[in-house]
């Protein structure tokens, strides 16, 4: 598919804020919730570029042209970060970032804002951070800034340009691999020493809240000014949390609630209008926590000449995006013998557990549920680091097995 750019491009001059918004709709339709979002962003952005991943209808183009300075059409590869890279590298060129003191990267995965972006930016300006995101996830191993809304200033803009150039592949089609970019960028930001911040509540205990599974508590406790669309997906919409969140937004009265109802019905085929008629009692839900700290993992990687990773699924993608930079050498991915499948991809080093040196340093990059199942397979090994299991539980499991 040939890339296209709208005829709205104007001659650039030094300005304050550049906003790049990545959007995707399977039908190429632009709903009113997104126009509201972009119009709100338009107030604080001197230049607003919308990168469309995939299709765009003529009607959608006409809607976007009412709020955007530029429309950049591209294939739906590389997803959000691929779009940011293409816009900055292939259209703006990296040196053109110097025209801006602030760069906003965000996507279309949220309804809102329920607090104006203008008010949000006034508040964040007083904190004088070089980088901030709308929300931050507190986790011992994988603390990260959520990437659906990020703001870069000062030296953070250079860090962003380097990250996009060196670590983002704008042609990938695997969404799991793309998930690593949020973590890779977070690792660079956290290790850089620059001033960072986030808009939501500074109460540490709230920052492992699952904003998808408990969006009502994200609004109530975190003060998140956005509502994630995925809360209304087939996977989560059976919970009352998303209905309570919708009820809360409606009660505030500052947001056109019909925009959410229309989009939810078109995308997920759910009529959630009845949610506005009652109150709900819900439970908080939290993201899965890891037990090994980021600092422990960095030390483990640096203290061994070569490190192996047990597992080659989602958890390992996130792990490698963050910690491969700290390894002296990567030995490969290790899987249980019964699950080993030869691969034709020579760059993907996968080996059976029985083939690895029993003394080889091994990091178990699996969720707790999966990791528990392989504790007996590595019981005799000395250099094993579990990421997601409480050490007390490992001891308990081993004691039960020996009974």
């Amino acid at each position: 598919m040939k890339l296209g750019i709208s005829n709205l491009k104007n001659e650039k001059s030094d300005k304050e804020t550049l906003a790049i918004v990545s959007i995707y709709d399977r039908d190429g339709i632009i709903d009113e919730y997104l126009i509201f979002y972009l119009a709100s962003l338009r107030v604080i952005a001197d230049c607003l570029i919308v990168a469309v991943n995939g299709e765009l209808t003529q009607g959608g183009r006409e809607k976007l042209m009412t709020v955007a300075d530029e429309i950049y059409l591209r294939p739906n590869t590389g997803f959000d970060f691929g779009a940011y890279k293409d816009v900055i590298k292939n259209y703006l060129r990296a040196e053109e970032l110097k025209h801006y003191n602030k760069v906003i990267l965000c996507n279309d995965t949220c309804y809102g804002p329920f607090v104006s972006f203008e008010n949000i930016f006034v508040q964040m300006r007083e904190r004088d951070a070089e980088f901030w995101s709308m929300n931050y996830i507190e986790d011992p191993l994988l603390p990260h800034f959520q990437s659906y809304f990020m703001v870069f200033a000062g030296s953070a803009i250079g860090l962003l340009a380097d990250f996009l150039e060196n670590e983002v592949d704008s042609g990938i089609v695997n969404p799991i691999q793309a998930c690593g970019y949020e973590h890779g960028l977070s690792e660079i930001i956290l290790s850089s020493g620059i001033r960072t911040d986030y808009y939501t509540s500074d109460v540490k205990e709230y920052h492992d809240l699952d904003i998808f599974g408990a969006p009502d508590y994200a609004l109530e406790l975190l003060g998140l000014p956005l509502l994630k669309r995925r809360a209304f997906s087939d996977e989560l919409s059976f919970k009352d949390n998303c209905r309570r969140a919708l009820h809360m937004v409606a009660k505030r009265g500052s947001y056109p609630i019909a925009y959410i109802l229309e989009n939810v019905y078109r995308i997920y085929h759910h009529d959630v209008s009845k949610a506005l008629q009652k109150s709900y009692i819900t439970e908080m839900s939290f993201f899965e926590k890891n037990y090994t700290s980021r600092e422990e993992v960095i030390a483990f990687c640096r203290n061994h000449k070569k490190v192996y990773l047990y597992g080659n699924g989602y958890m390992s993608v996130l792990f490698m995006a963050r910690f491969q930079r700290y390894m002296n050498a990567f030995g490969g991915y290790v899987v249980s013998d019964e699950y080993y499948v030869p691969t034709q991809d020579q760059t993907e080093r996968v080996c059976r557990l029985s083939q690895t040196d029993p003394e080889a340093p091994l990091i178990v990059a699996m969720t707790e549920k999966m990791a528990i199942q392989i504790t007996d397979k590595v019981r005799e090994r000395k250099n094993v680091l579990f990421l997601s299991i409480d050490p007390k539980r490992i001891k308990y499991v081993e004691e039960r097995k020996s009974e």
Side-chain angles (χ1 to χ4, degrees):
M1 176 182 177
K2 187 177 180 180
L3 299 181
I5 302 171
S6 77
N7 59 2
L8 295 178
K9 183 177 179 182
N10 298 314
E11 187 175 340
K12 290 183 171 60
S13 59
D14 286 346
K15 293 185 178 180
E16 173 72 19
T17 303
L18 165 68
I20 304 174
V21 185
S22 170
I23 71 172
Y24 166 78
D25 185 89
R26 65 192 179 202
D27 301 312
I29 294 172
I30 303 300
D31 285 329
E32 292 302 321
Y33 90 90
L34 181 57
I35 297 302
F36 182 95
Y37 184 96
L38 294 174
S40 302
L41 192 60
R42 170 84 269 180
V43 175
I44 49 94
D46 296 293
C47 180
L48 175 60
I49 301 175
V50 177
V52 180
N53 293 330
E55 301 298 320
L56 180 64
T57 64
Q58 181 58 33
R61 175 186 285 271
E62 291 171 0
K63 282 187 176 182
L64 289 179
M65 290 178 68
T66 65
V67 290
D69 293 299
E70 323 278 350
I71 302 172
Y72 186 91
L73 304 180
R74 63 184 301 278
N76 188 31
T77 60
F79 310 101
D80 293 339
F81 279 89
Y84 303 146
K85 178 174 182 174
D86 278 357
V87 169
I88 290 175
K89 182 179 180 180
N90 300 330
Y91 177 45
L92 283 179
R93 308 293 181 186
E95 61 271 17
E96 291 193 45
L97 288 180
K98 297 176 183 178
H99 289 297
Y100 298 95
N101 297 324
K102 199 178 278 93
V103 176
I104 303 168
L105 301 183
C106 57
N107 62 31
D108 62 345
T109 62
C110 302
Y111 301 118
F114 312 127
V115 176
S116 74
F117 282 130
E118 190 171 22
N119 287 344
I120 291 170
F121 273 72
V122 167
Q123 179 176 326
M124 296 308 296
R125 191 178 301 125
E126 297 175 356
R127 303 187 190 180
D128 193 32
E130 293 176 274
F131 170 87
W132 61 273
S133 65
M134 198 61 74
N135 190 39
Y136 176 76
I137 301 301
E138 186 72 49
D139 183 85
L141 175 68
L142 300 173
H144 65 281
F145 299 94
Q146 292 191 299
S147 61
Y148 52 83
F149 197 99
M150 305 178 291
V151 181
F152 303 79
S155 60
I157 296 178
L159 292 176
L160 169 66
D162 290 343
F163 174 76
L164 293 175
E165 173 66 25
N166 299 319
E167 299 198 32
V168 172
D169 180 353
S170 58
I172 64 170
V173 295
N174 184 346
I176 293 179
Q177 186 177 351
C179 289
Y181 293 145
E182 178 177 73
H183 284 268
L185 179 59
S186 291
E187 188 59 38
I188 285 178
I189 294 291
L190 290 170
S191 62
S192 69
I194 66 171
R195 300 184 304 278
T196 65
D197 211 329
Y198 45 83
Y199 172 75
T200 49
S201 169
D202 59 0
V203 178
K204 185 175 181 179
E205 290 73 19
Y206 295 159
H207 282 276
D208 60 350
L209 269 173
D210 183 346
I211 67 169
F212 306 101
D216 50 341
Y217 290 101
L219 295 174
E220 184 177 41
L221 300 180
L222 275 173
L224 188 67
L226 303 167
L227 178 58
K228 295 295 287 184
R229 291 171 56 194
R230 206 182 95 192
F232 296 92
S233 66
D234 292 338
E235 175 190 2
L236 297 170
S237 62
F238 67 91
K239 299 178 65 174
D240 277 341
N241 294 77
C242 66
R243 297 177 177 84
R244 179 172 177 249
L246 190 62
H247 187 72
M248 292 167 64
V249 172
K251 283 184 66 176
R252 294 180 183 182
S254 60
Y255 183 84
I257 205 71
Y259 294 169
I260 299 178
L261 300 179
E262 291 166 2
N263 182 256
V264 170
Y265 186 76
R266 184 175 72 83
I267 299 299
Y268 300 117
H269 311 295
H270 297 154
D271 181 359
V272 292
S273 58
K274 293 181 180 179
L276 306 180
Q277 301 170 12
K278 58 180 291 189
S279 298
Y280 299 87
I281 299 176
T282 61
E283 295 183 1
M284 279 191 277
S285 60
F286 301 88
F287 290 115
E288 288 187 0
K289 296 279 284 188
N290 294 289
Y291 290 91
T292 300
S293 73
R294 170 174 168 268
E295 291 74 19
E296 287 177 280
V297 170
I298 292 173
F300 188 91
C301 290
R302 286 175 170 166
N303 290 339
H304 293 95
K305 293 182 179 179
K306 184 183 290 186
V307 174
Y308 290 81
L309 210 60
Y310 202 132
N312 63 344
Y314 176 73
M315 184 73 171
S316 67
V317 169
L318 302 188
F319 182 90
M320 292 297 284
R322 299 192 70 130
F323 298 110
Q324 187 169 11
R325 69 192 77 242
Y326 301 114
M327 295 180 185
N328 296 305
F330 176 55
Y333 299 96
V334 177
V335 297
S336 302
D337 287 37
E338 62 269 29
Y339 295 117
Y340 174 78
V341 177
T343 176
Q344 304 254 339
D345 186 355
Q346 297 300 316
T347 63
E348 179 123 349
R349 289 165 284 176
V350 181
C351 56
R352 297 181 179 91
L353 178 62
S354 62
Q355 292 178 320
T356 61
D357 184 342
E359 299 294 321
L362 188 63
I363 297 175
V364 181
M366 295 176 171
T367 61
E368 182 179 38
K369 182 178 179 181
M370 297 297 295
I372 283 289
Q373 298 177 23
I374 60 95
T375 53
D376 60 327
K377 298 179 185 295
V378 298
R379 183 185 302 171
E380 304 302 322
R381 291 176 173 253
K382 296 180 180 178
N383 292 323
V384 179
L385 183 65
F386 284 89
L387 303 180
S388 59
I389 306 180
D390 186 339
K392 295 178 181 177
R393 185 168 185 190
I394 296 176
K395 183 177 180 180
Y396 171 77
V397 170
E398 292 181 345
E399 288 174 349
R400 289 292 300 271
K401 287 180 178 178
S402 63
E403 290 178 357

